Amino acid sequence: MLTVEIPSYLTFKLHNEQFAINVSQVLEILEMKAITKIPKAPDFMLGVINLRGNILPVIDTRNKFGMPSATFTIDTCIIVLSIQTGKDTVLAGAVVDAVQKVIDIPTEQIHPSSSLKTMYREDFISGISKIDDDFVMILNIDKVFSANEAEALIVN
């Protein structure tokens, strides 16, 4: 019997847009907590948090995507991600407006991002899918950070 594996994605909201990340890169979801600022950190980095004794850099996802900043709400949370940067894997937290749900999106329902004009860099988005009446942009989180930015996450 042949089984077809359908990839699962965690969907979340950011500035009224819906994004998705492959669940294989999501380690956990945290409630918003106090973030310690780091002097001279890159603009996209909010600071660090203590994650069970480990230092976790926290990214301002709105800043990274050129969106206006917003006040944190009860729905704001941190998605802990595993980001592949060349030969290294970096753990980072990404602040999002609200996590929604995990959905399965068959590969044939993911269309190239170049088929629609988006305000985001094309290499950040690995594809777009229509779920119910909404479009979901599927992030290629490994491409969102340049090698230098990923190094800053490690160094800082």
PDB file of all heavy atoms in Angstrom, residues 59-81:
ATOM      1  N   ILE A  59      13.097  37.305  17.853  1.00  0.00           N
ATOM      2  CA  ILE A  59      13.059  38.121  16.637  1.00  0.00           C
ATOM      3  C   ILE A  59      11.756  38.902  16.563  1.00  0.00           C
ATOM      4  O   ILE A  59      10.684  38.356  16.838  1.00  0.00           O
ATOM      5  CB  ILE A  59      13.170  37.196  15.410  1.00  0.00           C
ATOM      6  CG1 ILE A  59      14.490  36.435  15.452  1.00  0.00           C
ATOM      7  CG2 ILE A  59      12.996  37.960  14.116  1.00  0.00           C
ATOM      8  CD1 ILE A  59      14.455  35.154  14.667  1.00  0.00           C
ATOM      9  N   ASP A  60      11.860  40.158  16.159  1.00  0.00           N
ATOM     10  CA  ASP A  60      10.674  40.978  15.883  1.00  0.00           C
ATOM     11  C   ASP A  60      10.269  40.681  14.432  1.00  0.00           C
ATOM     12  O   ASP A  60      10.795  41.271  13.493  1.00  0.00           O
ATOM     13  CB  ASP A  60      11.003  42.454  16.067  1.00  0.00           C
ATOM     14  CG  ASP A  60       9.800  43.351  15.850  1.00  0.00           C
ATOM     15  OD1 ASP A  60       8.776  42.883  15.331  1.00  0.00           O
ATOM     16  OD2 ASP A  60       9.911  44.541  16.200  1.00  0.00           O
ATOM     17  N   THR A  61       9.347  39.774  14.271  1.00  0.00           N
ATOM     18  CA  THR A  61       8.963  39.325  12.931  1.00  0.00           C
ATOM     19  C   THR A  61       8.365  40.461  12.111  1.00  0.00           C
ATOM     20  O   THR A  61       8.591  40.554  10.907  1.00  0.00           O
ATOM     21  CB  THR A  61       7.977  38.146  13.031  1.00  0.00           C
ATOM     22  OG1 THR A  61       8.489  37.205  13.983  1.00  0.00           O
ATOM     23  CG2 THR A  61       7.813  37.450  11.700  1.00  0.00           C
ATOM     24  N   ARG A  62       7.602  41.344  12.758  1.00  0.00           N
ATOM     25  CA  ARG A  62       7.046  42.498  12.033  1.00  0.00           C
ATOM     26  C   ARG A  62       8.172  43.352  11.458  1.00  0.00           C
ATOM     27  O   ARG A  62       8.114  43.773  10.316  1.00  0.00           O
ATOM     28  CB  ARG A  62       6.167  43.348  12.965  1.00  0.00           C
ATOM     29  CG  ARG A  62       4.801  42.765  13.191  1.00  0.00           C
ATOM     30  CD  ARG A  62       4.043  43.632  14.182  1.00  0.00           C
ATOM     31  NE  ARG A  62       2.636  43.324  14.190  1.00  0.00           N
ATOM     32  CZ  ARG A  62       1.714  44.024  13.530  1.00  0.00           C
ATOM     33  NH1 ARG A  62       2.043  45.090  12.858  1.00  0.00           N
ATOM     34  NH2 ARG A  62       0.452  43.666  13.575  1.00  0.00           N
ATOM     35  N   ASN A  63       9.199  43.614  12.243  1.00  0.00           N
ATOM     36  CA  ASN A  63      10.336  44.402  11.762  1.00  0.00           C
ATOM     37  C   ASN A  63      11.008  43.700  10.591  1.00  0.00           C
ATOM     38  O   ASN A  63      11.347  44.327   9.586  1.00  0.00           O
ATOM     39  CB  ASN A  63      11.326  44.619  12.911  1.00  0.00           C
ATOM     40  CG  ASN A  63      12.581  45.336  12.477  1.00  0.00           C
ATOM     41  OD1 ASN A  63      13.374  44.784  11.712  1.00  0.00           O
ATOM     42  ND2 ASN A  63      12.768  46.552  12.956  1.00  0.00           N
ATOM     43  N   LYS A  64      11.201  42.404  10.709  1.00  0.00           N
ATOM     44  CA  LYS A  64      11.899  41.645   9.666  1.00  0.00           C
ATOM     45  C   LYS A  64      11.155  41.716   8.334  1.00  0.00           C
ATOM     46  O   LYS A  64      11.774  41.725   7.272  1.00  0.00           O
ATOM     47  CB  LYS A  64      12.062  40.190  10.120  1.00  0.00           C
ATOM     48  CG  LYS A  64      12.910  39.365   9.215  1.00  0.00           C
ATOM     49  CD  LYS A  64      14.337  39.857   9.208  1.00  0.00           C
ATOM     50  CE  LYS A  64      15.120  39.106   8.141  1.00  0.00           C
ATOM     51  NZ  LYS A  64      16.333  39.780   7.763  1.00  0.00           N
ATOM     52  N   PHE A  65       9.825  41.783   8.393  1.00  0.00           N
ATOM     53  CA  PHE A  65       9.031  41.830   7.167  1.00  0.00           C
ATOM     54  C   PHE A  65       8.624  43.248   6.784  1.00  0.00           C
ATOM     55  O   PHE A  65       7.806  43.438   5.893  1.00  0.00           O
ATOM     56  CB  PHE A  65       7.790  40.954   7.294  1.00  0.00           C
ATOM     57  CG  PHE A  65       8.114  39.482   7.332  1.00  0.00           C
ATOM     58  CD1 PHE A  65       7.415  38.629   8.156  1.00  0.00           C
ATOM     59  CD2 PHE A  65       9.117  38.951   6.549  1.00  0.00           C
ATOM     60  CE1 PHE A  65       7.702  37.279   8.196  1.00  0.00           C
ATOM     61  CE2 PHE A  65       9.424  37.601   6.579  1.00  0.00           C
ATOM     62  CZ  PHE A  65       8.722  36.764   7.405  1.00  0.00           C
ATOM     63  N   GLY A  66       9.197  44.245   7.451  1.00  0.00           N
ATOM     64  CA  GLY A  66       8.906  45.629   7.093  1.00  0.00           C
ATOM     65  C   GLY A  66       7.510  46.083   7.451  1.00  0.00           C
ATOM     66  O   GLY A  66       6.964  46.988   6.823  1.00  0.00           O
ATOM     67  N   MET A  67       6.913  45.465   8.444  1.00  0.00           N
ATOM     68  CA  MET A  67       5.561  45.828   8.892  1.00  0.00           C
ATOM     69  C   MET A  67       5.653  46.823  10.042  1.00  0.00           C
ATOM     70  O   MET A  67       6.651  46.837  10.768  1.00  0.00           O
ATOM     71  CB  MET A  67       4.807  44.588   9.376  1.00  0.00           C
ATOM     72  CG  MET A  67       4.594  43.551   8.321  1.00  0.00           C
ATOM     73  SD  MET A  67       3.856  42.068   9.064  1.00  0.00           S
ATOM     74  CE  MET A  67       3.571  41.100   7.608  1.00  0.00           C
ATOM     75  N   PRO A  68       4.612  47.631  10.240  1.00  0.00           N
ATOM     76  CA  PRO A  68       4.634  48.551  11.379  1.00  0.00           C
ATOM     77  C   PRO A  68       4.595  47.777  12.700  1.00  0.00           C
ATOM     78  O   PRO A  68       4.028  46.684  12.766  1.00  0.00           O
ATOM     79  CB  PRO A  68       3.358  49.384  11.189  1.00  0.00           C
ATOM     80  CG  PRO A  68       2.479  48.560  10.314  1.00  0.00           C
ATOM     81  CD  PRO A  68       3.376  47.731   9.454  1.00  0.00           C
ATOM     82  N   SER A  69       5.207  48.355  13.719  1.00  0.00           N
ATOM     83  CA  SER A  69       5.182  47.687  15.023  1.00  0.00           C
ATOM     84  C   SER A  69       3.786  47.761  15.616  1.00  0.00           C
ATOM     85  O   SER A  69       2.966  48.583  15.197  1.00  0.00           O
ATOM     86  CB  SER A  69       6.212  48.308  15.962  1.00  0.00           C
ATOM     87  OG  SER A  69       5.916  49.665  16.153  1.00  0.00           O
ATOM     88  N   ALA A  70       3.517  46.900  16.572  1.00  0.00           N
ATOM     89  CA  ALA A  70       2.202  46.855  17.209  1.00  0.00           C
ATOM     90  C   ALA A  70       2.380  46.522  18.684  1.00  0.00           C
ATOM     91  O   ALA A  70       3.384  45.925  19.086  1.00  0.00           O
ATOM     92  CB  ALA A  70       1.315  45.809  16.542  1.00  0.00           C
ATOM     93  N   THR A  71       1.411  46.919  19.447  1.00  0.00           N
ATOM     94  CA  THR A  71       1.412  46.596  20.869  1.00  0.00           C
ATOM     95  C   THR A  71       1.121  45.111  21.049  1.00  0.00           C
ATOM     96  O   THR A  71       0.276  44.557  20.347  1.00  0.00           O
ATOM     97  CB  THR A  71       0.331  47.426  21.591  1.00  0.00           C
ATOM     98  OG1 THR A  71       0.563  48.807  21.302  1.00  0.00           O
ATOM     99  CG2 THR A  71       0.373  47.199  23.088  1.00  0.00           C
ATOM    100  N   PHE A  72       1.816  44.492  21.970  1.00  0.00           N
ATOM    101  CA  PHE A  72       1.552  43.078  22.245  1.00  0.00           C
ATOM    102  C   PHE A  72       0.165  42.945  22.859  1.00  0.00           C
ATOM    103  O   PHE A  72      -0.265  43.782  23.647  1.00  0.00           O
ATOM    104  CB  PHE A  72       2.595  42.506  23.198  1.00  0.00           C
ATOM    105  CG  PHE A  72       4.001  42.488  22.638  1.00  0.00           C
ATOM    106  CD1 PHE A  72       5.079  42.561  23.480  1.00  0.00           C
ATOM    107  CD2 PHE A  72       4.234  42.409  21.275  1.00  0.00           C
ATOM    108  CE1 PHE A  72       6.378  42.547  22.986  1.00  0.00           C
ATOM    109  CE2 PHE A  72       5.518  42.400  20.755  1.00  0.00           C
ATOM    110  CZ  PHE A  72       6.604  42.467  21.622  1.00  0.00           C
ATOM    111  N   THR A  73      -0.541  41.883  22.488  1.00  0.00           N
ATOM    112  CA  THR A  73      -1.864  41.594  23.052  1.00  0.00           C
ATOM    113  C   THR A  73      -1.817  40.245  23.764  1.00  0.00           C
ATOM    114  O   THR A  73      -0.771  39.583  23.780  1.00  0.00           O
ATOM    115  CB  THR A  73      -2.930  41.533  21.937  1.00  0.00           C
ATOM    116  OG1 THR A  73      -2.693  40.363  21.140  1.00  0.00           O
ATOM    117  CG2 THR A  73      -2.905  42.778  21.074  1.00  0.00           C
ATOM    118  N   ILE A  74      -2.961  39.829  24.280  1.00  0.00           N
ATOM    119  CA  ILE A  74      -3.021  38.524  24.939  1.00  0.00           C
ATOM    120  C   ILE A  74      -2.769  37.394  23.949  1.00  0.00           C
ATOM    121  O   ILE A  74      -2.356  36.298  24.324  1.00  0.00           O
ATOM    122  CB  ILE A  74      -4.375  38.352  25.663  1.00  0.00           C
ATOM    123  CG1 ILE A  74      -4.300  37.174  26.618  1.00  0.00           C
ATOM    124  CG2 ILE A  74      -5.513  38.209  24.669  1.00  0.00           C
ATOM    125  CD1 ILE A  74      -5.427  37.128  27.622  1.00  0.00           C
ATOM    126  N   ASP A  75      -2.978  37.651  22.647  1.00  0.00           N
ATOM    127  CA  ASP A  75      -2.761  36.641  21.608  1.00  0.00           C
ATOM    128  C   ASP A  75      -1.324  36.592  21.102  1.00  0.00           C
ATOM    129  O   ASP A  75      -0.935  35.643  20.422  1.00  0.00           O
ATOM    130  CB  ASP A  75      -3.693  36.900  20.420  1.00  0.00           C
ATOM    131  CG  ASP A  75      -5.151  36.691  20.771  1.00  0.00           C
ATOM    132  OD1 ASP A  75      -5.440  35.828  21.638  1.00  0.00           O
ATOM    133  OD2 ASP A  75      -6.002  37.396  20.207  1.00  0.00           O
ATOM    134  N   THR A  76      -0.534  37.634  21.399  1.00  0.00           N
ATOM    135  CA  THR A  76       0.859  37.661  20.938  1.00  0.00           C
ATOM    136  C   THR A  76       1.619  36.504  21.579  1.00  0.00           C
ATOM    137  O   THR A  76       1.475  36.236  22.771  1.00  0.00           O
ATOM    138  CB  THR A  76       1.531  38.997  21.341  1.00  0.00           C
ATOM    139  OG1 THR A  76       0.747  40.079  20.829  1.00  0.00           O
ATOM    140  CG2 THR A  76       2.940  39.075  20.779  1.00  0.00           C
ATOM    141  N   CYS A  77       2.407  35.821  20.780  1.00  0.00           N
ATOM    142  CA  CYS A  77       3.179  34.715  21.329  1.00  0.00           C
ATOM    143  C   CYS A  77       4.504  34.568  20.589  1.00  0.00           C
ATOM    144  O   CYS A  77       4.766  35.250  19.606  1.00  0.00           O
ATOM    145  CB  CYS A  77       2.380  33.417  21.308  1.00  0.00           C
ATOM    146  SG  CYS A  77       1.812  32.943  19.711  1.00  0.00           S
ATOM    147  N   ILE A  78       5.320  33.672  21.103  1.00  0.00           N
ATOM    148  CA  ILE A  78       6.643  33.421  20.537  1.00  0.00           C
ATOM    149  C   ILE A  78       6.661  31.997  19.992  1.00  0.00           C
ATOM    150  O   ILE A  78       6.394  31.047  20.730  1.00  0.00           O
ATOM    151  CB  ILE A  78       7.742  33.579  21.610  1.00  0.00           C
ATOM    152  CG1 ILE A  78       7.730  34.998  22.188  1.00  0.00           C
ATOM    153  CG2 ILE A  78       9.110  33.237  21.033  1.00  0.00           C
ATOM    154  CD1 ILE A  78       8.610  35.174  23.429  1.00  0.00           C
ATOM    155  N   ILE A  79       6.968  31.869  18.708  1.00  0.00           N
ATOM    156  CA  ILE A  79       7.125  30.541  18.109  1.00  0.00           C
ATOM    157  C   ILE A  79       8.612  30.208  18.148  1.00  0.00           C
ATOM    158  O   ILE A  79       9.432  30.948  17.589  1.00  0.00           O
ATOM    159  CB  ILE A  79       6.615  30.507  16.657  1.00  0.00           C
ATOM    160  CG1 ILE A  79       5.145  30.904  16.580  1.00  0.00           C
ATOM    161  CG2 ILE A  79       6.825  29.122  16.056  1.00  0.00           C
ATOM    162  CD1 ILE A  79       4.613  31.028  15.157  1.00  0.00           C
ATOM    163  N   VAL A  80       8.975  29.127  18.820  1.00  0.00           N
ATOM    164  CA  VAL A  80      10.373  28.705  18.881  1.00  0.00           C
ATOM    165  C   VAL A  80      10.658  27.870  17.637  1.00  0.00           C
ATOM    166  O   VAL A  80      10.013  26.841  17.405  1.00  0.00           O
ATOM    167  CB  VAL A  80      10.682  27.915  20.167  1.00  0.00           C
ATOM    168  CG1 VAL A  80      12.153  27.492  20.196  1.00  0.00           C
ATOM    169  CG2 VAL A  80      10.326  28.739  21.406  1.00  0.00           C
ATOM    170  N   LEU A  81      11.616  28.360  16.841  1.00  0.00           N
ATOM    171  CA  LEU A  81      11.898  27.759  15.543  1.00  0.00           C
ATOM    172  C   LEU A  81      13.300  27.179  15.469  1.00  0.00           C
ATOM    173  O   LEU A  81      14.221  27.669  16.125  1.00  0.00           O
ATOM    174  CB  LEU A  81      11.786  28.835  14.453  1.00  0.00           C
ATOM    175  CG  LEU A  81      10.437  29.504  14.297  1.00  0.00           C
ATOM    176  CD1 LEU A  81      10.561  30.728  13.418  1.00  0.00           C
ATOM    177  CD2 LEU A  81       9.444  28.520  13.711  1.00  0.00           C
TER     178      LEU A  81
END
